[in-house]
Amino acid sequence: MRLELLYFFFYSMTVYILETNGWPQQGKHELRWNHSYTGINKPSNPIDKEVLEEFYHSTAGPAWLNNAHWLSGDPCESKWYGVGCNPSGDVVELDLSNNLLAGELPDRLSNMKNLEVLILRHNAISGTISPLLFTMKALRVIDLSYNKLSGSFPPQIELPFLTNLSLSNNQLEGYLPNHWNCLNLEVISISSNMLQGVLPNGLSTLSSLKYFDVSENFFIGPFPKEYSSLTSLETMWLFTNRFNNSIIPESWNKLVKMKNFQADSLAGNLPELIGVNWSDLEVLIVVDGHLTGDIPESFCHLKKLKYLHLFRNSLSGPLPKCFCDLPTSSLVSINLSYNQITGTVPDCFDNFRDLRYFYMENNNLTGTLPRSLSACKHLYTIDVSNNYLVGSIPSLYANLKDTLNWFELDNNRLNEIEDGLEDFIVTLSTKFCSLYGNPWSCPLPNYFSGKEYCTARCSSCNTLEQHSSCEKCLTSTSNCGWCADGRNCLEGYTNGPYYPYHCDQSEWVFGNKTNC
Ligand SMILES: *[C@@H]1O[C@H](CO)[C@@H](O)[C@H](O)[C@H]1NC(C)=O
Ligand SMILES: *[C@@H]1O[C@H](CO)[C@@H](O)[C@H](O)[C@H]1NC(C)=O
Ligand SMILES: *[C@@H]1O[C@H](CO)[C@@H](O)[C@H](O)[C@H]1NC(C)=O
Ligand SMILES: *[C@@H]1O[C@H](CO)[C@@H](O)[C@H](O)[C@H]1NC(C)=O
Ligand SMILES: *[C@@H]1O[C@H](CO)[C@@H](O)[C@H](O)[C@H]1NC(C)=O
Ligand SMILES: *[C@@H]1O[C@H](CO)[C@@H](O)[C@H](O)[C@H]1NC(C)=O
Ligand SMILES: *[C@@H]1O[C@H](CO)[C@@H](O)[C@H](O)[C@H]1NC(C)=O
């Protein structure tokens, strides 16, 4: 007696697999194909069987990691590894990912007229991608990513059932087709190839498209304003191409489902539309470009934001005034480093209890270190080096002892280390800690002696009392005669203070009362 064949397919979307370093694991949505069969009834369609046999030989079948049951008996009845059949004995699925396939795909593969799912990711399949692949009308999933396929796309793709086209990490060249008849297509993943040209307007017909990753190719700008019709789009990755100084078209304000946008080399101001219309945004990574102006107030509407990375641009102005009005936010990571952000850091981090990464280095921040960072129970990184921060390391930071792994304060104007931080500093000195280039007051707590990391030097004349008067600094001891801002005294000799302070050395005046 034969069991009825049942086959199910399950998609399970797991959003962002977080690595310990907090990047969304190159941010990929992992869309898993889950298949299981129970029972088989009919022998397979003879053409499918022949094609599978040829496939086995041309892709180094004997050397596969798993080739269980292949070539013995019937593909469906004998359950050849990775082969799935429907109740009529048609092969509908071939999933041999991570299985050491090598060699080339036979052209006859396209004779498997009922094949719906072709997943061969993470193998070493080479040769050019055959245009015949795009004639297999039943296909719902093509995932050949992480192989060595070369060649280019046909000028036109008509696969009405296709939902997922994944060809990332191959060696494809040429242009993207401009004619697409794929109304069900949800995923285009073609990153890490050698594709070129502009992004074709023809893609704007793909009204089901949710995921569009063209990163790491040679595409050029401008971005098509026609993509405003891709209203299902949730993920768009454009980085590492040749979009030199492109700008986000205003019409993209219609992409209201956007959750994850990543690009580089953008120019202009940060568009208001991001804060105003992309209200589901979770990941905004727009880095290594020429963005200017300030971060718009509208960004405070992004209630679901987890990652805000705008590093290495030319943003200026203070953080938006409404920063503290962000609701108990989901923020995990802020990286605004290497800009020219001015003003103080708002002291409202008790709003951001999930914050793990706080990168603000190389900006023009003034004011003090926010005490409320101590409320972030998962905080892993504080990097505010190369700013103009003054004041002390708050004793409350002792609360961060167990989670913080990176504490970088160098080249600011910090002068005091509050009591109660011994355990904190001692623990951090085995991780990463950098305090140099600050005018610390003497005496430093004794736990600073003999450390390789987390070193701090103080000036013998740089007591709190003397900060208020450079005059006292200059007269108290020899070789302590550097001062600035009427405030801090620095240890050093006639050629300058000991460490490369962030400010220009001309700002610090040596040993002469009249200059203070
Ligand atoms: C489909 O697309 C996603 C991208 O969202 C990819 O990660 C996934 O592995 C693809 N393949 C399958 C078989 O789902
Ligand atoms: C696949 O589906 C089966 C049956 O529902 C389930 O038991 C299994 O956990 C699923 N596997 C994955 C990786 O989702
Ligand atoms: C874009 O920038 C790259 C790298 O800086 C450069 O090689 C290329 O010529 C530029 N292309 C255009 C169209 O400006
Ligand atoms: C963008 O948001 C503004 C303010 O909510 C709204 O008036 C406008 O209609 C939105 N635009 C689109 C295209 O949804
Ligand atoms: C933050 O930005 C700096 C560059 O300014 C970069 O080196 C670092 O990797 C970034 N960190 C994260 C977690 O994005
Ligand atoms: C930030 O500081 C740098 C270095 O001192 C200076 O050149 C730049 O003009 C400052 N930018 C702003 C916006 O204050
Ligand atoms: C101190 O100031 C006086 C008067 O301005 C000047 O003559 C002298 O050269 C200065 N000394 C130093 C070391 O800068």
Side-chain angles (χ1 to χ4, degrees):
M1 190 174 69
R2 285 185 169 140
L3 295 167
E4 273 301 307
L5 170 85
L6 301 167
Y7 71 99
F8 333 91
F9 300 109
F10 298 92
Y11 279 110
S12 81
M13 291 263 270
T14 55
V15 187
Y16 320 125
I17 317 230
L18 286 180
E19 276 288 81
T20 46
N21 70 6
W23 270 101
Q25 186 37 316
Q26 262 317 309
K28 295 265 187 205
H29 270 210
E30 195 69 21
L31 193 56
R32 272 178 166 255
W33 189 251
N34 186 350
H35 44 86
S36 44
Y37 331 93
T38 55
I40 291 296
N41 55 352
K42 290 218 177 94
S44 59
N45 160 341
I47 295 179
D48 288 353
K49 185 177 180 196
E50 277 174 41
V51 174
L52 286 178
E53 285 164 352
E54 188 179 340
F55 176 88
Y56 180 86
H57 292 299
S58 66
T59 60
W64 293 354
L65 205 54
N66 187 341
N67 54 13
H69 312 301
W70 275 73
L71 305 194
S72 78
D74 178 87
C76 296
E77 286 183 322
S78 311
K79 300 187 182 174
W80 290 8
Y81 173 75
V83 174
C85 306
N86 68 14
S88 331
D90 300 312
V91 172
V92 293
E93 178 181 342
L94 188 56
D95 177 353
L96 294 165
S97 30
N98 291 296
N99 204 32
L100 301 182
L101 276 64
E104 301 188 7
L105 297 177
D107 276 350
R108 284 187 71 209
L109 190 64
S110 62
N111 292 349
M112 296 178 75
K113 294 291 179 215
N114 297 294
L115 195 68
E116 297 174 17
V117 174
L118 178 64
I119 305 177
L120 305 173
R121 60 191 277 138
H122 282 290
N123 283 295
I125 301 168
S126 55
T128 56
I129 193 160
S130 167
L132 295 173
L133 179 71
F134 298 99
T135 64
M136 299 170 70
K137 292 286 186 232
L139 280 173
R140 289 189 288 119
V141 174
I142 300 176
D143 190 344
L144 303 176
S145 46
Y146 299 91
N147 278 290
K148 298 174 173 173
L149 292 164
S150 54
S152 50
F153 283 97
Q156 167 160 350
I157 297 187
E158 282 189 47
L159 293 172
F161 302 110
L162 192 66
T163 60
N164 190 333
L165 177 62
S166 290
L167 295 167
S168 64
N169 294 274
N170 279 289
Q171 294 151 19
L172 303 178
E173 0 173 73
Y175 303 96
L176 273 184
N178 195 30
H179 297 284
W180 294 74
N181 192 349
C182 305
L183 281 182
N184 287 298
L185 193 54
E186 295 179 2
V187 172
I188 295 182
S189 174
I190 49 173
S191 62
S192 297
N193 280 289
M194 300 181 295
L195 298 163
Q196 55 168 304
V198 291
L199 296 176
N201 290 347
L203 276 163
S204 60
T205 59
L206 300 175
S207 56
S208 304
L209 197 65
K210 289 185 180 157
Y211 184 102
F212 185 56
D213 179 4
V214 299
S215 60
E216 301 183 50
N217 280 290
F218 302 113
F219 292 115
I220 56 171
F223 300 137
K225 57 184 188 318
E226 290 78 3
Y227 287 10
S228 57
S229 59
L230 300 176
T231 51
S232 303
L233 207 57
E234 295 175 3
T235 298
M236 190 176 206
W237 289 9
L238 304 169
F239 55 86
T240 320
N241 275 290
R242 291 183 174 165
F243 290 125
N244 308 10
N245 299 329
S246 292
I247 57 173
I248 297 178
E250 184 56 35
S251 65
W252 288 13
N253 63 4
K254 299 211 174 58
L255 308 182
V256 296
K257 297 208 173 136
M258 191 70 80
K259 285 199 172 88
N260 185 327
F261 184 85
Q262 304 191 24
D264 58 13
S265 310
L266 300 194
N269 287 346
L270 268 174
E272 287 279 352
L273 71 93
I274 294 179
V276 174
N277 299 91
W278 293 2
S279 51
D280 284 339
L281 201 62
E282 294 174 7
V283 178
L284 181 66
I285 302 186
V286 181
V287 301
D288 293 311
H290 301 101
L291 292 173
T292 52
D294 47 16
I295 300 176
E297 295 271 326
S298 60
F299 275 43
C300 302
H301 301 150
L302 297 172
K303 298 191 164 67
K304 299 179 183 168
L305 202 59
K306 291 191 170 110
Y307 289 82
L308 178 63
H309 288 190
L310 303 172
F311 57 81
R312 289 197 292 259
N313 279 292
S314 306
L315 297 168
S316 57
L319 293 172
K321 281 196 288 298
C322 57
F323 186 75
C324 292
D325 303 336
L326 273 166
T328 342
S329 158
S330 40
L331 263 184
V332 170
S333 181
I334 302 178
N335 192 339
L336 304 179
S337 57
Y338 291 89
N339 280 288
Q340 295 190 17
I341 295 172
T342 56
T344 59
V345 184
D347 197 4
C348 56
F349 286 86
D350 32 349
N351 287 353
F352 308 121
R353 298 201 174 249
D354 286 333
L355 192 70
R356 280 152 213 257
Y357 306 96
F358 185 64
Y359 291 93
M360 294 293 275
E361 75 269 23
N362 289 82
N363 278 290
N364 293 28
L365 297 171
T366 55
T368 56
L369 281 169
R371 287 176 188 263
S372 56
L373 274 176
S374 63
C376 303
K377 296 272 182 288
H378 306 288
L379 199 60
Y380 188 91
T381 304
I382 298 177
D383 188 348
V384 293
S385 57
N386 292 301
N387 280 289
Y388 299 103
L389 299 173
V390 297
S392 59
I393 304 180
S395 57
L396 280 170
Y397 284 12
N399 296 343
L400 299 172
K401 173 172 77 76
D402 296 327
T403 57
L404 205 65
N405 270 267
W406 191 281
F407 190 52
E408 197 167 347
L409 304 183
D410 46 87
N411 296 316
N412 278 286
R413 294 173 178 186
L414 298 160
N415 59 30
E416 194 195 344
I417 294 163
E418 291 179 12
D419 289 341
L421 286 168
E422 175 163 3
D423 284 356
F424 173 78
I425 296 284
V426 168
T427 305
L428 271 165
S429 61
T430 65
K431 298 173 179 173
F432 184 87
C433 167
S434 174
L435 306 179
Y436 71 86
N438 284 289
W440 302 111
S441 312
C442 290
L444 283 170
N446 57 14
Y447 49 83
F448 277 99
S449 55
K451 287 214 174 54
E452 195 179 339
Y453 299 108
C454 229
T455 51
R457 273 173 168 272
C458 69
S459 162
S460 53
C461 59
N462 199 17
T463 64
L464 271 183
E465 180 212 346
Q466 283 159 338
H467 286 154
S468 54
S469 159
C470 233
E471 213 167 291
K472 286 188 184 157
C473 157
L474 294 173
T475 53
S476 59
T477 341
S478 59
N479 296 333
C480 67
W482 289 86
C483 65
D485 298 345
R487 182 134 203 232
N488 298 311
C489 298
L490 296 169
E491 197 179 15
Y493 296 101
T494 46
N495 55 344
Y498 278 129
Y499 296 105
Y501 288 82
H502 181 39
C503 61
D504 191 281
Q505 287 208 346
S506 64
E507 288 178 46
W508 302 88
V509 181
F510 182 73
N512 199 327
K513 274 189 212 177
T514 55
N515 288 339
C516 286

